[in-house]
Amino acid sequence: MTIQYTFELAGQSYTLEHGRFANQADGSVFITVGDCQILATVCWSRNFEKVNSFFPMVVDYQEKFSGGGRFPGGFKKREGQPSESEILKCRIIDRTIRPRFPKSFRQDFHIVVQVLS
């Protein structure tokens, strides 16, 4: 079942879809703003027997070359390591989301944000 929300903000039309992609993830949203499409997924561990002394949250932000119509060729056929701008965007996402969790939440948490087009 796909749930879709559409709203206007600062002259831009935003569309959020839930339940269309990444059904095996614990949570996912497909965001469309103009021509830009982003898929954000969240997975977390439900192993409550393992107790961490900190909140192990991992954020991955990926801008694929195929999103811009470019496909890597030649010797380097894969995407490779993240660029500096991707690392900074990961940190921005981490720094804004981390304080919103309760202090007692210590489960493994993984967020993947992919720019598709």
Side-chain angles (χ1 to χ4, degrees):
M1 179 170 103
T2 302
I3 301 171
Q4 185 173 0
Y5 300 101
T6 304
F7 60 93
E8 292 272 333
L9 182 65
Q12 293 266 349
S13 176
Y14 289 78
T15 304
L16 306 175
E17 293 181 59
H18 172 68
R20 182 175 170 196
F21 296 106
N23 292 326
Q24 291 181 339
D26 292 319
S28 67
V29 65
F30 186 73
I31 306 161
T32 305
V33 182
D35 293 337
C36 183
Q37 295 179 331
I38 298 170
L39 176 65
T41 59
V42 173
C43 294
W44 65 287
S45 172
R46 290 187 180 86
N47 184 7
F48 295 105
E49 296 171 1
K50 179 182 173 188
V51 178
N52 295 318
S53 60
F54 62 97
F55 177 36
M57 182 168 72
V58 177
V59 178
D60 290 329
Y61 177 87
Q62 303 167 350
E63 292 178 353
K64 299 287 186 179
F65 286 119
S66 59
R70 301 183 317 259
F71 297 94
F75 179 72
K76 226 178 152 183
K77 294 204 184 306
R78 298 203 172 111
E79 299 286 336
Q81 63 186 10
S83 64
E84 274 190 38
S85 68
E86 289 176 337
I87 292 170
L88 292 175
K89 290 173 186 172
C90 288
R91 289 180 182 172
I92 289 171
I93 294 169
D94 182 275
R95 301 305 190 280
T96 56
I97 292 176
R98 191 176 289 269
R100 301 188 187 281
F101 287 92
K103 298 289 183 192
S104 61
F105 190 79
R106 304 278 172 109
Q107 301 306 110
D108 294 328
F109 201 79
H110 193 170
I111 301 171
V112 178
V113 179
Q114 294 179 346
V115 178
L116 301 176
S117 69

mmCIF file of all heavy atoms in Angstrom, residues 64-65 71-81:
data_model
loop_
_atom_site.group_PDB
_atom_site.id
_atom_site.type_symbol
_atom_site.label_atom_id
_atom_site.label_comp_id
_atom_site.label_asym_id
_atom_site.label_seq_id
_atom_site.Cartn_x
_atom_site.Cartn_y
_atom_site.Cartn_z
ATOM 1 N N LYS A 64 24.699 8.888 -6.939
ATOM 2 C CA LYS A 64 25.125 7.971 -7.993
ATOM 3 C C LYS A 64 25.363 8.739 -9.291
ATOM 4 O O LYS A 64 24.660 9.687 -9.597
ATOM 5 C CB LYS A 64 24.056 6.894 -8.227
ATOM 6 C CG LYS A 64 23.778 6.034 -7.021
ATOM 7 C CD LYS A 64 24.927 5.102 -6.791
ATOM 8 C CE LYS A 64 24.597 4.127 -5.680
ATOM 9 N NZ LYS A 64 25.651 3.197 -5.448
ATOM 10 N N PHE A 65 26.350 8.297 -10.057
ATOM 11 C CA PHE A 65 26.612 8.906 -11.354
ATOM 12 C C PHE A 65 25.447 8.686 -12.305
ATOM 13 O O PHE A 65 25.163 9.509 -13.152
ATOM 14 C CB PHE A 65 27.885 8.335 -11.976
ATOM 15 C CG PHE A 65 29.143 8.825 -11.335
ATOM 16 C CD1 PHE A 65 30.023 7.949 -10.737
ATOM 17 C CD2 PHE A 65 29.461 10.170 -11.340
ATOM 18 C CE1 PHE A 65 31.190 8.391 -10.152
ATOM 19 C CE2 PHE A 65 30.620 10.632 -10.757
ATOM 20 C CZ PHE A 65 31.488 9.738 -10.154
ATOM 21 N N PHE A 71 27.630 7.200 -16.622
ATOM 22 C CA PHE A 71 27.988 5.866 -16.154
ATOM 23 C C PHE A 71 29.500 5.744 -16.213
ATOM 24 O O PHE A 71 30.104 5.949 -17.267
ATOM 25 C CB PHE A 71 27.326 4.789 -17.023
ATOM 26 C CG PHE A 71 25.835 4.834 -16.936
ATOM 27 C CD1 PHE A 71 25.098 5.538 -17.865
ATOM 28 C CD2 PHE A 71 25.181 4.189 -15.913
ATOM 29 C CE1 PHE A 71 23.728 5.589 -17.780
ATOM 30 C CE2 PHE A 71 23.809 4.241 -15.821
ATOM 31 C CZ PHE A 71 23.071 4.941 -16.751
ATOM 32 N N PRO A 72 30.149 5.426 -15.068
ATOM 33 C CA PRO A 72 31.607 5.355 -15.067
ATOM 34 C C PRO A 72 32.108 4.235 -15.968
ATOM 35 O O PRO A 72 31.559 3.147 -15.987
ATOM 36 C CB PRO A 72 31.957 5.102 -13.603
ATOM 37 C CG PRO A 72 30.717 4.629 -12.960
ATOM 38 C CD PRO A 72 29.573 5.132 -13.771
ATOM 39 N N GLY A 73 33.125 4.532 -16.721
ATOM 40 C CA GLY A 73 33.712 3.543 -17.612
ATOM 41 C C GLY A 73 35.220 3.560 -17.491
ATOM 42 O O GLY A 73 35.789 4.282 -16.681
ATOM 43 N N GLY A 74 35.874 2.790 -18.319
ATOM 44 C CA GLY A 74 37.328 2.724 -18.273
ATOM 45 C C GLY A 74 37.794 1.851 -17.130
ATOM 46 O O GLY A 74 37.169 0.861 -16.777
ATOM 47 N N PHE A 75 38.933 2.242 -16.544
ATOM 48 C CA PHE A 75 39.532 1.429 -15.484
ATOM 49 C C PHE A 75 38.668 1.418 -14.229
ATOM 50 O O PHE A 75 38.491 0.406 -13.587
ATOM 51 C CB PHE A 75 40.927 1.959 -15.156
ATOM 52 C CG PHE A 75 41.598 1.199 -14.062
ATOM 53 C CD1 PHE A 75 42.061 -0.091 -14.278
ATOM 54 C CD2 PHE A 75 41.769 1.754 -12.811
ATOM 55 C CE1 PHE A 75 42.689 -0.803 -13.256
ATOM 56 C CE2 PHE A 75 42.388 1.062 -11.795
ATOM 57 C CZ PHE A 75 42.846 -0.216 -12.025
ATOM 58 N N LYS A 76 38.118 2.586 -13.875
ATOM 59 C CA LYS A 76 37.317 2.715 -12.654
ATOM 60 C C LYS A 76 35.845 2.555 -13.004
ATOM 61 O O LYS A 76 35.168 3.494 -13.366
ATOM 62 C CB LYS A 76 37.558 4.088 -12.042
ATOM 63 C CG LYS A 76 37.806 4.062 -10.585
ATOM 64 C CD LYS A 76 38.084 5.447 -10.093
ATOM 65 C CE LYS A 76 37.656 5.517 -8.655
ATOM 66 N NZ LYS A 76 37.823 6.820 -8.101
ATOM 67 N N LYS A 77 35.319 1.361 -12.925
ATOM 68 C CA LYS A 77 33.945 1.108 -13.336
ATOM 69 C C LYS A 77 32.947 1.283 -12.201
ATOM 70 O O LYS A 77 31.774 1.400 -12.425
ATOM 71 C CB LYS A 77 33.825 -0.304 -13.893
ATOM 72 C CG LYS A 77 34.596 -0.476 -15.175
ATOM 73 C CD LYS A 77 34.034 -1.606 -15.975
ATOM 74 C CE LYS A 77 34.811 -1.885 -17.210
ATOM 75 N NZ LYS A 77 35.051 -0.837 -18.110
ATOM 76 N N ARG A 78 33.412 1.300 -10.973
ATOM 77 C CA ARG A 78 32.500 1.443 -9.851
ATOM 78 C C ARG A 78 32.514 2.864 -9.336
ATOM 79 O O ARG A 78 33.329 3.689 -9.714
ATOM 80 C CB ARG A 78 32.891 0.465 -8.753
ATOM 81 C CG ARG A 78 32.768 -0.963 -9.245
ATOM 82 C CD ARG A 78 32.595 -1.911 -8.109
ATOM 83 N NE ARG A 78 32.289 -3.234 -8.630
ATOM 84 C CZ ARG A 78 33.097 -4.264 -8.556
ATOM 85 N NH1 ARG A 78 34.271 -4.136 -7.988
ATOM 86 N NH2 ARG A 78 32.742 -5.429 -9.035
ATOM 87 N N GLU A 79 31.590 3.147 -8.439
ATOM 88 C CA GLU A 79 31.438 4.507 -7.918
ATOM 89 C C GLU A 79 32.633 4.946 -7.073
ATOM 90 O O GLU A 79 32.989 6.104 -7.060
ATOM 91 C CB GLU A 79 30.160 4.594 -7.086
ATOM 92 C CG GLU A 79 28.900 4.283 -7.855
ATOM 93 C CD GLU A 79 28.481 5.379 -8.800
ATOM 94 O OE1 GLU A 79 28.843 6.541 -8.582
ATOM 95 O OE2 GLU A 79 27.792 5.066 -9.775
ATOM 96 N N GLY A 80 33.233 4.035 -6.334
ATOM 97 C CA GLY A 80 34.393 4.396 -5.520
ATOM 98 C C GLY A 80 33.990 4.954 -4.174
ATOM 99 O O GLY A 80 32.860 4.809 -3.718
ATOM 100 N N GLN A 81 34.936 5.617 -3.534
ATOM 101 C CA GLN A 81 34.694 6.157 -2.201
ATOM 102 C C GLN A 81 33.879 7.441 -2.278
ATOM 103 O O GLN A 81 33.846 8.093 -3.313
ATOM 104 C CB GLN A 81 36.019 6.404 -1.489
ATOM 105 C CG GLN A 81 36.883 7.431 -2.162
ATOM 106 C CD GLN A 81 38.236 7.518 -1.500
ATOM 107 O OE1 GLN A 81 38.585 6.689 -0.676
ATOM 108 N NE2 GLN A 81 39.006 8.514 -1.855
#
